[in-house]
């Protein structure tokens, strides 16, 4: 009878790959006449030898592995390792995770010729260098649980705010399209929309709030500099929670902090700039 062959694609940076190898060696010995688990690695022989000597698990196993296996990997494409390819009678029976390479599953396929386990799925077109869920990179953009979006002015879109409760109340959406700064903060501070001008304390240039006739900018140019689109999608939560999230987003995106103050029994809205500090990722 031809042996069952399991191609075990692995890498030195993969902790779960290495953790599985002692079990694989035991299984190879247990089914010696019927099974061959063959480790395969794209990395160079020199790198793997050096790494193995410094790794207690691999050094104790006297590891053998196919190396420099870029060509082999092209026949069995994958994004994640460990990646287990089951071959019997020269036919690929299935592709699984390392956890499925166990005594019970091996016995069943040797007895029945059928691999009965969960198939491993790799999204081969996923690109980690591109934005997640944009253009279906990683899946549909309808699958997210939480998201906030902030963009500059968008031509052809009406200026409005809205709060929408999704079907079955599973997702809430708060949005403001082509709105000025006060319109955005109006989402986070509902009382802002009813306060008179004299109760707005604005501690930054007012030409950012309203176009001035003598500023030299056309309407289109002013809109491009001072109007924004914002959207927050969240699961159901208390109103104050999502309003707090909007305030945090506006501070991050605009460097502005708003708050309600009470002075002489009257309600005031205070808006001021804060210094934004960025940590450089090295």
């Amino acid at each position: 009878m031809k042996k069952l062959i399991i191609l075990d694609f692995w890498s030195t940076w993969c902790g779960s790959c290495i953790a599985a190898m002692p079990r694989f060696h035991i299984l190879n010995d247990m089914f010696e006449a019927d099974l061959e688990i063959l480790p395969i690695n794209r990395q160079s022989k020199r790198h793997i030898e050096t790494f193995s000597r410094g790794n207690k698990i691999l050094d104790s196993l006297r590891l053998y592995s196919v190396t420099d296996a870029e060509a082999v990997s092209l026949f069995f494409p994958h994004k994640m390792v460990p990646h287990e390819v089951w071959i019997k009678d020269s036919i690929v029976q299935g592709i699984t995770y390392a956890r499925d390479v166990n005594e019970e599953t091996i016995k069943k396929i040797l007895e029945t010729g059928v691999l009965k386990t969960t198939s491993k799925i790799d999204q081969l077109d996923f690109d980690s260098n591109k934005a997640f869920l944009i253009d279906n990179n990683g899946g549909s953009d309808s699958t997210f649980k939480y998201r906030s979006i902030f963009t500059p002015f968008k031509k052809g879109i009406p200026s409005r705010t809205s709060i929408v409760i999704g079907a079955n109340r599973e997702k809430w959406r708060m949005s403001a399209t082509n709105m000025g700064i006060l319109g955005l903060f109006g989402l986070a501070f509902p009382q802002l929309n009813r306060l008179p001008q004299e109760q707005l304390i604005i501690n930054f240039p007012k030409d950012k709030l309203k176009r001035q006739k003598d500023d030299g900018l056309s309407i289109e140019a002013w809109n491009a500099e001072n109007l924004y689109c914002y959207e927050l999608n969240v699961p159901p939560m208390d109103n104050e929670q999502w309003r707090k999230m909007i305030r945090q987003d506006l501070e991050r995106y605009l460097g502005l902090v708003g708050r309600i103050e009470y002075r002489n029994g009257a309600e005031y809205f205070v808006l001021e700039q804060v210094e934004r500090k960025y940590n450089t990722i090295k």
Side-chain angles (χ1 to χ4, degrees):
M1 182 176 67
K2 293 182 180 179
K3 281 189 174 185
L4 166 65
I5 297 173
I6 301 177
L7 305 181
D8 170 39
F9 289 89
W10 71 287
S11 184
T12 57
W13 49 259
C14 173
S16 58
C17 297
I18 295 169
M21 285 189 174
R23 186 176 85 251
F24 290 178
H25 275 242
I26 292 172
L27 291 170
N28 253 338
D29 291 340
M30 185 182 300
F31 297 95
E32 184 177 5
D34 304 310
L35 172 68
E36 185 67 43
I37 301 177
L38 181 61
I40 298 178
N41 194 310
R42 297 182 184 183
Q43 295 165 294
S44 70
K45 177 180 179 181
R46 181 178 180 181
H47 171 76
I48 294 172
E49 287 178 341
T50 302
F51 178 85
S52 298
R53 285 193 294 268
N55 183 278
K56 292 182 179 179
I57 294 177
L58 298 185
D59 189 50
S60 66
L61 294 175
R62 299 184 301 279
L63 175 71
Y64 62 91
S65 177
V66 176
T67 65
D68 302 275
E70 193 67 41
V72 179
S73 298
L74 293 176
F75 286 96
F76 304 100
H78 55 277
K79 283 283 187 179
M80 303 176 290
V81 289
H83 184 74
E84 314 301 332
V85 180
W86 298 61
I87 301 173
K88 194 171 189 302
D89 300 325
S90 301
I91 298 174
V92 175
Q93 303 295 324
I95 296 172
T96 73
Y97 300 94
R99 63 175 178 265
D100 300 303
V101 182
N102 56 58
E103 182 178 355
E104 180 182 2
T105 307
I106 292 170
K107 281 183 176 179
K108 285 183 178 179
I109 190 172
L110 290 176
E111 291 171 358
T112 66
V114 178
L115 179 63
K116 294 183 178 180
T117 189
T118 302
S119 296
K120 177 175 178 281
I121 298 175
D122 287 39
Q123 290 196 33
L124 299 177
D125 58 353
F126 174 69
D127 187 345
S128 58
N129 294 313
K130 295 181 179 179
F132 187 51
L133 299 185
I134 301 299
D135 295 329
N136 286 318
N137 187 40
S140 167
D141 68 355
S142 65
T143 60
F144 63 86
K145 297 296 184 181
Y146 161 83
R147 178 177 71 177
S148 67
I149 299 173
F150 197 93
T151 76
F153 172 77
K154 295 293 183 182
K155 289 184 178 181
I157 296 177
S159 178
R160 66 177 56 168
T161 60
S162 63
I163 299 175
V164 178
I165 307 300
N168 301 319
R169 301 181 66 86
E170 292 180 356
K171 194 175 295 181
W172 295 7
R173 177 170 60 84
M174 287 62 81
S175 68
T177 53
N178 287 339
M179 295 295 294
I181 290 171
L182 288 181
L184 296 175
F185 275 92
L187 280 174
F189 296 94
Q191 57 270 64
L192 175 58
N193 300 312
R194 55 177 168 75
L195 292 178
Q197 287 292 320
E198 58 267 23
Q199 287 173 236
L200 304 182
I201 302 174
I202 310 300
N203 295 324
F204 74 100
K206 291 182 174 57
D207 62 352
K208 296 294 183 183
L209 299 180
K210 185 176 181 180
R211 178 172 173 262
Q212 308 299 311
K213 293 182 179 180
D214 58 352
D215 61 12
L217 293 175
S218 66
I219 293 177
E220 291 77 11
W222 190 89
N223 286 348
E225 289 187 10
N226 299 287
L227 298 187
Y228 305 91
C229 296
Y230 171 78
E231 181 172 285
L232 175 68
N233 292 262
V234 294
M237 60 178 62
D238 180 82
N239 286 343
E240 181 52 31
Q241 285 182 289
W242 60 258
R243 286 173 181 147
K244 181 179 179 180
M245 296 171 77
I246 292 176
R247 294 194 291 269
Q248 291 171 336
D249 278 343
L250 296 178
E251 179 179 352
R252 277 190 291 267
Y253 296 138
L254 298 175
L256 297 173
V257 172
R259 66 179 181 274
I260 297 295
E261 289 187 2
Y262 292 90
R263 303 182 181 184
N264 300 320
E267 199 173 37
Y268 288 79
F269 176 72
V270 181
L271 187 62
E272 57 191 3
Q273 288 179 304
V274 294
E275 182 181 356
R276 289 187 287 182
K277 297 180 179 180
Y278 300 97
N279 294 322
T280 301
I281 300 175
K282 297 182 178 180

